[in-house]
Structures are given as structure tokens and as C-alpha cells.
Amino acid sequence: MIERSPKRSFAARPADPENWIKASDAPSPRESADGGYTARLTIDVTADLRGRIKISAFQRGVTVTEMLRDLLAREFPNTEGDPS
């Protein structure tokens, strides 16, 4: 039988967080509507807020993903000449 290390983690912490954040990710197999690639973003919300978001998306006739992408794009517009 093979022994496993007692300390196993899901992912290692980056040695240099600043460079890790700024580094480009490898292309994802998920392609966005504009031809670029998408990145997954996970947030924690209350069950009540999640329900309100789902109801709002249903009433608008869009998916939660589409609605939240539009909301984030409005809140954080792409600025020409932005160094990031």
C-alpha cells in the first residue's frame, strides 16, 4: 500500500501574490460571446440574495450568468489605455 502525505491541500499558495494576480491565465476551454476566453469567479452570497438574483434573471428572460456579466461590465467598464 502507498502512503499518502498527511498534509494535502487543494492548491498551493503563490510565492509572489502580486505577480500571480497580474499573470495571464492559460486559455480556458470556455469561450465567451466576444471570442475571448472566460475565467471562473466564485463568490459567496446568502441564500436569500441568490434567490433574488435568480428571480430577477428569470423575470428579465436571461440567465443568471448573462445578467451578472452585464452588471459587472457596467460597473467595471474597460478603460482605454488601462495598464492592467
Side-chain angles (χ1 to χ4, degrees):
M1 183 169 183
I2 299 172
E3 275 190 47
R4 292 187 176 192
S5 170
K7 184 177 180 183
R8 297 187 67 174
S9 62
F10 177 73
R13 291 179 188 234
D16 184 2
E18 285 297 319
N19 285 333
W20 176 74
I21 291 169
K22 293 176 184 176
S24 63
D25 293 330
S28 166
R30 298 179 305 270
E31 198 166 334
S32 69
D34 64 1
Y37 291 95
T38 63
R40 187 161 306 269
L41 176 66
T42 304
I43 61 169
D44 295 324
V45 296
T46 63
D48 182 58
L49 178 56
R50 179 177 177 264
R52 294 193 322 258
I53 291 168
K54 289 179 76 171
I55 290 169
S56 180
F58 178 78
Q59 290 171 337
R60 296 174 190 197
V62 297
T63 65
V64 170
T65 300
E66 292 168 333
M67 187 178 74
L68 292 178
R69 282 183 184 153
D70 289 344
L71 180 140
L72 291 170
R74 280 192 314 270
E75 188 66 27
F76 304 102
N78 187 8
T79 307
E80 292 299 319
D82 190 1
S84 57

